[in-house]
Amino acid sequence: MPTLTAAALDQAAAHTAPTLTEPEREAWASLATLTFDERLALAALAVDARINTEPLDLADVIRGPVDIPAAPVLQPYRTPMAALLHRAQTRILNDGWCPDRLRDEQGAVCMIGAIRAEAGSRSEADDACALLLDIVRAEFDPTAETIASWNARQRDGRMPARILGHAASRADARGN
């Protein structure tokens, strides 16, 4: 490997850094006599000297999950009963489902609880429950006695939410 001479360093310094001081020229000249491994070690030390060794405060970096409100769901149905059943489905999906109570301690609701929470009146909720029971009996379970008993037999909230969505679609098709 060719070594740099002082004249070559002076010429390179003239083209790249015309304002080198005498101590800087001496430093460059001393680098010319170093091997590649020695120059690499010096470069690593120079980088290490520039690294900020201040401890990192993780409270500034790590953030917990942020409670983001659910985006409003657009109402896909034009009939009031279908809109009510769709809102009840959305409530179960957002708040959670429970099998044997209108509402549990965590805020989860059963099918009737979701319908009642979304209905404008008790008679509107009763009409929606009657329509829902008709659809459940006709299309899913002819042995269902009530919405509450059918809801209590479910393992999780997927089927009740699915049925509410299906009932909303059927109610819209019927014009309810």
Side-chain angles (χ1 to χ4, degrees):
M1 173 176 199
T3 58
L4 294 175
T5 63
L9 284 174
D10 286 341
Q11 185 180 11
H15 290 297
T16 59
T19 58
L20 285 178
T21 62
E22 188 60 35
E24 291 172 334
R25 285 179 193 251
E26 290 173 10
W28 276 102
S30 68
L31 284 178
T33 60
L34 297 175
T35 66
F36 177 75
D37 290 334
E38 292 169 333
R39 286 183 290 186
L40 190 59
L42 284 175
L45 288 173
V47 169
D48 288 345
R50 291 183 183 162
I51 293 176
N52 185 1
T53 59
E54 214 174 284
L56 182 64
D57 184 11
L58 293 180
D60 291 339
V61 179
I62 299 174
R63 301 277 189 235
V66 178
D67 289 335
I68 299 173
V73 178
L74 298 176
Q75 187 53 256
Y77 299 108
R78 55 180 164 59
T79 61
M81 188 69 61
L84 170 60
L85 292 168
H86 175 73
R87 289 192 311 270
Q89 176 193 27
T90 303
R91 180 172 290 266
I92 285 179
L93 292 173
N94 289 337
D95 295 350
W97 170 83
C98 66
D100 52 2
R101 293 190 215 163
L102 291 177
R103 176 180 295 277
D104 69 5
E105 296 81 26
Q106 290 79 29
V109 292
C110 72
M111 294 172 81
I112 295 172
I115 290 171
R116 285 185 182 172
E118 295 296 332
S121 67
R122 179 67 184 241
S123 64
E124 187 181 15
D126 291 344
D127 292 343
C129 288
L131 176 66
L132 182 61
L133 182 59
D134 290 343
I135 291 172
V136 166
R137 284 179 179 161
E139 299 182 26
F140 296 97
D141 185 3
T143 65
E145 294 179 21
T146 64
I147 293 297
S149 66
W150 184 85
N151 184 72
R153 289 196 314 253
Q154 304 308 305
R155 290 181 301 205
D156 57 35
R158 288 182 296 203
M159 193 61 157
R162 181 174 165 240
I163 297 295
L164 282 168
H166 180 73
S169 176
R170 298 291 291 167
D172 190 53
R174 292 180 184 180
N176 293 76

